[in-house]
Amino acid sequence: MVNFADSLRELRSILVRQDIRAAVIFLNGLTEHRFTSLYQFDEETLHNICFFDRENPTQELTPDIPVMASYCVFVRNSCGTFTTPNSLLDDRVRDHPKQQAVQSYCGVPLLDEDSKMFGTICHFDFRPIAISNANVALMEAVAPLIRQIAYGTTNQ
């Protein structure tokens, strides 16, 4: 079980050292999800900024993909957190190109100083996996810190 206060304190410490990848790896370690990633929107393209695959930890990035080919589209369209613990049972993702392959996802928006969404931080996996409310809350709490460190902004 995730201890929200302790985990947030640790994430703040990691981010103060300006090590985004270490923060992504730490977040991944709090879930059962294989992948954790930081993405940036560029029109209809999704650029990977930081990536962690616990089965292939040396891979740091993934190729650009169309926004519509990722569940990040649901975060972008709602400008809010989107989770699906089992895509095969989730009507919201019916007919999505990744429904069969990426069966669990939790994404949180990254907002700039003007509250405009520029990206997401997300966990995902090829198998169904539930994510705790504490983990979702932690991702939501760390999103402004990631913006601050990764993009040099000062407001939280």
Side-chain angles (χ1 to χ4, degrees), residues 35 69 71 84 86-88 93 96-105 123-128:
F35 308 101
Y71 290 142
T84 182
N86 186 341
S87 65
L88 301 178
V93 299
H96 187 277
K98 297 291 186 194
Q99 183 184 20
Q100 298 296 315
V102 178
Q103 294 185 13
S104 58
Y105 173 90
H123 298 301
F124 55 100
D125 205 301
F126 298 135
R127 61 192 174 99

Coordinates of all heavy atoms in Angstrom, one line a residue, residues 35 69 71 84 86-88 93 96-105 123-128:
F35 N 5.0 -0.3 -17.2 CA 5.6 0.9 -17.8 C 5.1 2.2 -17.0 O 3.9 2.2 -16.6 CB 5.1 1.1 -19.2 CG 5.3 -0.1 -20.1 CD1 4.3 -1.0 -20.4 CD2 6.6 -0.4 -20.6 CE1 4.5 -2.1 -21.2 CE2 6.8 -1.5 -21.5 CZ 5.7 -2.4 -21.7
A69 N -3.5 7.2 -31.0 CA -3.1 5.8 -30.8 C -2.7 5.5 -29.3 O -2.2 4.4 -29.0 CB -2.0 5.4 -31.7
Y71 N -3.9 6.0 -25.0 CA -4.9 6.4 -24.0 C -4.7 7.8 -23.5 O -5.6 8.4 -22.9 CB -5.0 5.4 -22.9 CG -5.5 4.0 -23.2 CD1 -4.9 2.9 -22.6 CD2 -6.6 3.8 -24.1 CE1 -5.4 1.6 -22.9 CE2 -7.0 2.6 -24.4 CZ -6.4 1.5 -23.8 OH -6.9 0.2 -24.1
T84 N -8.2 3.1 -16.6 CA -8.9 1.9 -16.9 C -8.1 0.8 -16.4 O -7.0 0.5 -16.8 CB -9.2 1.8 -18.4 OG1 -9.9 0.6 -18.7 CG2 -7.9 1.8 -19.3
N86 N -9.0 -2.3 -16.7 CA -9.2 -3.5 -17.6 C -9.9 -3.0 -18.9 O -11.1 -2.9 -18.9 CB -10.0 -4.6 -17.0 CG -10.0 -5.8 -17.9 OD1 -9.8 -5.8 -19.1 ND2 -10.3 -7.0 -17.2
S87 N -9.1 -2.7 -19.9 CA -9.7 -2.1 -21.1 C -10.7 -3.0 -21.8 O -11.6 -2.5 -22.5 CB -8.5 -1.8 -22.1 OG -7.9 -2.9 -22.5
L88 N -10.5 -4.3 -21.6 CA -11.4 -5.2 -22.3 C -12.8 -5.2 -21.7 O -13.8 -5.6 -22.4 CB -10.9 -6.7 -22.2 CG -9.5 -6.9 -22.8 CD1 -9.0 -8.3 -22.6 CD2 -9.4 -6.5 -24.2
V93 N -13.3 2.8 -23.9 CA -12.2 2.6 -24.8 C -12.5 1.6 -25.9 O -11.6 1.2 -26.7 CB -10.9 2.2 -24.1 CG1 -10.4 3.2 -23.1 CG2 -11.0 0.8 -23.4
H96 N -10.9 1.6 -29.4 CA -9.6 2.3 -29.4 C -8.5 1.4 -30.0 O -8.5 0.2 -29.7 CB -9.2 2.7 -28.0 CG -8.0 3.6 -27.9 ND1 -6.7 3.1 -27.9 CD2 -7.9 5.0 -27.9 CE1 -5.9 4.1 -27.9 NE2 -6.6 5.3 -27.9
P97 N -7.5 1.9 -30.7 CA -6.5 1.0 -31.3 C -5.7 0.2 -30.3 O -5.2 -0.8 -30.7 CB -5.6 2.0 -32.1 CG -6.3 3.3 -32.2 CD -7.4 3.3 -31.1
K98 N -5.6 0.7 -29.1 CA -4.8 -0.1 -28.1 C -5.6 -0.9 -27.1 O -5.1 -1.5 -26.2 CB -3.9 0.9 -27.3 CG -2.9 1.7 -28.1 CD -1.8 0.8 -28.5 CE -0.8 1.7 -29.2 NZ 0.2 1.0 -30.0
Q99 N -6.9 -1.0 -27.3 CA -7.8 -1.7 -26.4 C -7.3 -3.1 -26.1 O -7.3 -3.5 -24.9 CB -9.2 -1.7 -26.8 CG -10.1 -2.3 -25.8 CD -11.6 -2.4 -26.2 OE1 -11.9 -2.4 -27.4 NE2 -12.5 -2.6 -25.3
Q100 N -6.9 -3.8 -27.1 CA -6.5 -5.2 -26.9 C -5.1 -5.3 -26.3 O -4.9 -6.2 -25.5 CB -6.6 -6.0 -28.2 CG -8.0 -6.1 -28.8 CD -9.0 -6.8 -27.9 OE1 -8.7 -7.9 -27.4 NE2 -10.2 -6.3 -27.8
A101 N -4.2 -4.5 -26.7 CA -2.8 -4.6 -26.3 C -2.6 -4.0 -24.9 O -1.9 -4.6 -24.1 CB -1.9 -3.9 -27.4
V102 N -3.0 -2.7 -24.7 CA -2.7 -2.0 -23.5 C -4.0 -2.1 -22.6 O -4.9 -1.4 -22.9 CB -2.3 -0.5 -23.7 CG1 -2.1 0.2 -22.4 CG2 -1.0 -0.5 -24.6
Q103 N -3.9 -3.0 -21.7 CA -5.2 -3.4 -21.0 C -5.4 -2.6 -19.7 O -6.5 -2.7 -19.1 CB -5.3 -4.9 -20.8 CG -5.4 -5.6 -22.1 CD -5.6 -7.1 -21.9 OE1 -5.9 -7.6 -20.8 NE2 -5.5 -7.8 -23.0
S104 N -4.4 -1.9 -19.2 CA -4.5 -1.1 -18.0 C -3.7 0.2 -18.2 O -2.7 0.2 -18.8 CB -4.1 -1.8 -16.7 OG -2.8 -2.2 -16.8
Y105 N -4.3 1.3 -17.7 CA -3.7 2.6 -17.9 C -4.2 3.5 -16.8 O -5.4 3.5 -16.4 CB -4.2 3.2 -19.3 CG -3.8 4.6 -19.6 CD1 -2.6 4.9 -20.2 CD2 -4.6 5.6 -19.2 CE1 -2.2 6.2 -20.4 CE2 -4.2 7.0 -19.4 CZ -3.0 7.2 -20.1 OH -2.7 8.5 -20.3
H123 N 1.0 5.4 -16.1 CA 1.3 4.0 -15.9 C 0.5 3.2 -16.9 O -0.7 3.5 -17.1 CB 1.0 3.5 -14.5 CG 1.6 4.2 -13.4 ND1 3.0 4.3 -13.2 CD2 1.1 4.8 -12.3 CE1 3.2 4.9 -12.1 NE2 2.1 5.3 -11.5
F124 N 1.1 2.2 -17.5 CA 0.3 1.3 -18.3 C 0.9 -0.1 -18.4 O 2.1 -0.3 -18.0 CB 0.1 1.9 -19.7 CG 1.3 2.2 -20.5 CD1 1.9 1.4 -21.4 CD2 2.0 3.5 -20.2 CE1 3.0 1.8 -22.1 CE2 3.1 3.8 -20.9 CZ 3.6 3.0 -21.9
D125 N 0.1 -1.1 -18.8 CA 0.6 -2.4 -18.9 C -0.3 -3.2 -19.9 O -1.3 -2.8 -20.3 CB 0.4 -3.1 -17.5 CG 1.4 -4.3 -17.3 OD1 1.3 -5.2 -18.1 OD2 2.2 -4.2 -16.4
F126 N 0.3 -4.3 -20.3 CA -0.4 -5.2 -21.3 C -1.4 -6.1 -20.6 O -2.1 -6.8 -21.3 CB 0.6 -6.1 -22.0 CG 1.6 -5.3 -22.8 CD1 3.0 -5.6 -22.8 CD2 1.3 -4.2 -23.6 CE1 3.9 -4.9 -23.5 CE2 2.2 -3.5 -24.4 CZ 3.5 -3.9 -24.3
R127 N -1.5 -6.1 -19.3 CA -2.4 -6.9 -18.6 C -3.3 -6.0 -17.7 O -2.9 -4.9 -17.4 CB -1.7 -8.0 -17.8 CG -0.8 -7.4 -16.8 CD 0.1 -8.5 -16.1 NE 1.1 -7.9 -15.3 CZ 1.0 -7.8 -13.9 NH1 -0.1 -8.4 -13.3 NH2 1.9 -7.2 -13.2
P128 N -4.5 -6.5 -17.4 CA -5.3 -5.7 -16.5 C -4.7 -5.6 -15.1 O -4.2 -6.5 -14.5 CB -6.6 -6.5 -16.4 CG -6.6 -7.5 -17.5 CD -5.1 -7.7 -17.8

